Amino acid sequence: MIYKIYNRGVSGLNTDEFLENIDTLLLDLEPSKIFINIGTNDITKERFGDQWMLHLMDNICRIMEIIKFRIPDVEIFIMAFYPANLHLPWQTEQSIQWMKLRTPENLILCNHRLKEIAEKYGCRYLDCNEALVDEHGEQKSEYAIDGVHMYANGYLNVFKSLKPYL
Protein backbone atom coordinates (compact mmCIF):
# COMPACT_ATOMS: atom_id res chain seq x y z
CA MET A 1 0.00 0.00 0.00
CA ILE A 2 1.26 3.47 -0.88
CA TYR A 3 0.67 6.38 1.46
CA LYS A 4 0.95 10.06 0.68
CA ILE A 5 2.37 12.17 3.49
CA TYR A 6 2.31 15.94 3.21
CA ASN A 7 4.47 18.14 5.39
CA ARG A 8 2.75 21.49 5.52
CA GLY A 9 5.12 23.02 8.03
CA VAL A 10 5.94 26.60 7.08
CA SER A 11 8.85 28.26 8.85
CA GLY A 12 7.77 31.15 11.05
CA LEU A 13 4.03 30.50 10.62
CA ASN A 14 1.80 31.33 13.58
CA THR A 15 -1.74 30.13 14.25
CA ASP A 16 -3.34 33.31 12.87
CA GLU A 17 -1.55 32.81 9.56
CA PHE A 18 -2.41 29.12 9.56
CA LEU A 19 -6.09 29.94 10.04
CA GLU A 20 -5.94 32.47 7.18
CA ASN A 21 -4.55 29.73 4.89
CA ILE A 22 -6.15 26.61 6.36
CA ASP A 23 -7.83 25.61 3.09
CA THR A 24 -4.59 25.54 1.09
CA LEU A 25 -2.40 24.22 3.89
CA LEU A 26 -4.72 21.48 5.10
CA LEU A 27 -8.37 21.18 4.18
CA ASP A 28 -8.02 21.01 0.39
CA LEU A 29 -5.92 17.85 0.82
CA GLU A 30 -8.81 16.01 2.52
CA PRO A 31 -6.40 13.86 4.55
CA SER A 32 -7.39 10.76 6.48
CA LYS A 33 -5.03 11.66 9.35
CA ILE A 34 -3.81 15.01 10.60
CA PHE A 35 -0.87 15.60 12.91
CA ILE A 36 -1.17 19.12 14.32
CA ASN A 37 2.08 20.70 15.40
CA ILE A 38 1.60 24.43 15.27
CA GLY A 39 1.69 27.23 17.79
CA THR A 40 5.17 27.72 19.17
CA ASN A 41 5.58 30.88 17.08
CA ASP A 42 2.66 32.30 19.08
CA ILE A 43 4.65 32.02 22.32
CA THR A 44 5.56 35.68 22.39
CA LYS A 45 4.36 38.83 24.09
CA GLU A 46 5.01 40.96 20.99
CA ARG A 47 1.48 40.66 19.58
CA PHE A 48 -0.72 39.68 22.51
CA GLY A 49 1.18 40.65 25.64
CA ASP A 50 0.33 38.53 28.65
CA GLN A 51 -2.64 37.06 26.74
CA TRP A 52 -0.43 35.05 24.36
CA MET A 53 -1.46 31.71 25.92
CA LEU A 54 -5.18 32.49 25.73
CA HIS A 55 -4.86 33.59 22.10
CA LEU A 56 -2.82 30.52 21.18
CA MET A 57 -5.18 28.01 22.76
CA ASP A 58 -8.27 29.79 21.37
CA ASN A 59 -6.75 29.48 17.89
CA ILE A 60 -5.95 25.80 18.40
CA CYS A 61 -9.61 25.27 19.34
CA ARG A 62 -10.71 27.21 16.25
CA ILE A 63 -8.48 25.00 14.11
CA MET A 64 -10.00 21.91 15.69
CA GLU A 65 -13.55 23.14 15.15
CA ILE A 66 -12.90 23.93 11.49
CA ILE A 67 -11.29 20.54 10.87
CA LYS A 68 -14.07 18.66 12.67
CA PHE A 69 -16.70 20.54 10.64
CA ARG A 70 -15.01 20.26 7.25
CA ILE A 71 -13.50 16.75 7.53
CA PRO A 72 -15.61 15.04 10.20
CA ASP A 73 -14.16 11.53 9.81
CA VAL A 74 -10.48 12.52 9.90
CA GLU A 75 -8.24 11.08 12.61
CA ILE A 76 -6.53 13.94 14.44
CA PHE A 77 -3.36 13.85 16.51
CA ILE A 78 -2.35 16.93 18.49
CA MET A 79 1.38 16.91 19.08
CA ALA A 80 3.13 18.28 22.13
CA PHE A 81 5.33 21.29 21.47
CA TYR A 82 8.99 20.33 21.15
CA PRO A 83 11.41 21.42 23.87
CA ALA A 84 13.53 24.52 23.40
CA ASN A 85 16.93 25.39 24.80
CA LEU A 86 17.67 28.94 25.89
CA HIS A 87 21.18 28.16 27.18
CA LEU A 88 23.22 27.20 24.13
CA PRO A 89 26.63 28.87 23.87
CA TRP A 90 26.15 29.72 20.19
CA GLN A 91 22.91 31.68 20.66
CA THR A 92 22.78 35.38 19.94
CA GLU A 93 20.97 38.07 21.91
CA GLN A 94 18.48 38.29 19.06
CA SER A 95 17.63 34.56 19.15
CA ILE A 96 17.32 34.62 22.93
CA GLN A 97 14.88 37.54 22.68
CA TRP A 98 12.54 35.91 20.15
CA MET A 99 12.40 32.66 22.08
CA LYS A 100 12.68 33.85 25.68
CA LEU A 101 9.17 32.62 26.63
CA ARG A 102 9.86 29.08 25.41
CA THR A 103 10.95 27.98 28.85
CA PRO A 104 10.42 24.41 30.01
CA GLU A 105 7.71 25.71 32.36
CA ASN A 106 5.78 27.50 29.60
CA LEU A 107 6.11 24.56 27.22
CA ILE A 108 4.89 22.13 29.91
CA LEU A 109 1.89 24.39 30.54
CA CYS A 110 1.17 24.65 26.79
CA ASN A 111 1.44 20.88 26.40
CA HIS A 112 -0.91 20.33 29.33
CA ARG A 113 -3.47 22.59 27.63
CA LEU A 114 -2.94 20.87 24.27
CA LYS A 115 -3.65 17.54 25.95
CA GLU A 116 -6.89 18.98 27.39
CA ILE A 117 -7.89 20.23 23.93
CA ALA A 118 -7.20 16.80 22.43
CA GLU A 119 -9.47 15.22 25.05
CA LYS A 120 -12.16 17.86 24.49
CA TYR A 121 -12.27 17.18 20.75
CA GLY A 122 -11.87 13.40 20.95
CA CYS A 123 -8.38 13.36 19.45
CA ARG A 124 -5.12 11.69 20.35
CA TYR A 125 -2.38 13.62 22.09
CA LEU A 126 1.16 12.65 21.12
CA ASP A 127 4.23 13.61 23.11
CA CYS A 128 7.29 12.78 21.01
CA ASN A 129 9.70 14.61 23.31
CA GLU A 130 11.11 11.87 25.54
CA ALA A 131 14.34 11.43 23.55
CA LEU A 132 14.66 15.18 22.87
CA VAL A 133 14.91 16.61 26.40
CA ASP A 134 17.89 16.88 28.70
CA GLU A 135 17.91 16.71 32.51
CA HIS A 136 16.74 20.36 32.67
CA GLY A 137 13.71 19.76 30.44
CA GLU A 138 15.37 21.60 27.56
CA GLN A 139 16.17 20.47 24.03
CA LYS A 140 19.36 18.38 24.01
CA SER A 141 22.21 20.40 22.53
CA GLU A 142 23.15 17.62 20.09
CA TYR A 143 19.81 18.20 18.34
CA ALA A 144 19.77 21.98 18.56
CA ILE A 145 20.44 24.22 15.59
CA ASP A 146 19.33 27.38 17.39
CA GLY A 147 17.53 26.10 20.48
CA VAL A 148 14.19 25.73 18.69
CA HIS A 149 14.81 24.07 15.33
CA MET A 150 16.48 20.68 15.28
CA TYR A 151 18.98 18.87 13.14
CA ALA A 152 17.80 15.76 11.28
CA ASN A 153 18.86 13.53 14.18
CA GLY A 154 16.29 15.24 16.42
CA TYR A 155 13.51 14.93 13.87
CA LEU A 156 14.45 11.27 13.38
CA ASN A 157 13.47 10.71 17.02
CA VAL A 158 10.15 12.45 16.35
CA PHE A 159 9.59 10.24 13.31
CA LYS A 160 10.25 7.10 15.36
CA SER A 161 7.53 8.22 17.80
CA LEU A 162 5.09 9.01 15.00
CA LYS A 163 5.70 5.94 12.85
CA PRO A 164 3.21 3.65 14.65
CA TYR A 165 0.42 6.16 13.92
CA LEU A 166 1.14 6.76 10.23
Side-chain angles (χ1 to χ4, degrees):
M1 180 169 282
I2 297 175
Y3 296 99
K4 289 183 185 178
I5 299 174
Y6 298 94
N7 177 0
R8 293 301 208 190
V10 178
S11 179
L13 195 75
N14 63 38
T15 57
D16 289 321
E17 294 162 329
F18 181 81
L19 281 162
E20 290 170 12
N21 297 286
I22 195 168
D23 288 311
T24 303
L25 291 171
L26 177 64
L27 301 173
D28 290 348
L29 299 171
E30 297 181 352
S32 60
K33 294 182 181 182
I34 298 172
F35 294 82
I36 296 176
N37 186 353
I38 189 165
T40 56
N41 290 327
D42 292 60
I43 303 175
T44 178
K45 288 186 178 185
E46 287 181 11
R47 294 181 64 203
F48 301 102
D50 291 334
Q51 299 299 307
W52 64 267
M53 174 74 80
L54 178 63
H55 179 79
L56 168 58
M57 295 304 155
D58 282 350
N59 275 359
I60 296 290
C61 288
R62 285 183 58 214
I63 290 167
M64 295 301 300
E65 289 165 8
I66 292 168
I67 293 170
K68 289 286 204 175
F69 179 74
R70 296 273 302 272
I71 315 173
D73 296 326
V74 72
E75 189 174 5
I76 303 171
F77 300 82
I78 296 179
M79 296 177 63
F81 290 159
Y82 302 138
N85 191 325
L86 307 176
H87 301 99
L88 298 170
W90 56 84
Q91 284 178 314
T92 65
E93 280 300 315
Q94 182 182 9
S95 69
I96 291 169
Q97 279 303 308
W98 68 263
M99 59 186 270
K100 67 184 174 187
L101 292 182
R102 296 184 195 192
T103 63
E105 297 78 18
N106 279 343
L107 291 171
I108 287 169
L109 182 57
C110 285
N111 288 338
H112 178 73
R113 298 238 174 108
L114 290 173
K115 187 174 184 178
E116 290 174 345
I117 290 170
E119 290 170 3
K120 175 182 176 181
Y121 289 95
C123 306
R124 293 186 84 155
Y125 172 77
L126 294 179
D127 187 341
C128 302
N129 295 335
E130 183 178 345
L132 304 177
V133 295
D134 65 16
E135 64 276 4
H136 306 291
E138 294 188 310
Q139 186 183 94
K140 290 181 180 178
S141 61
E142 62 262 30
Y143 301 137
I145 293 174
D146 56 11
V148 174
H149 303 96
M150 294 183 285
Y151 292 112
N153 60 348
Y155 289 112
L156 181 59
N157 283 301
V158 173
F159 175 72
K160 288 175 185 176
S161 296
L162 290 178
K163 193 174 179 182
Y165 304 102
L166 296 177

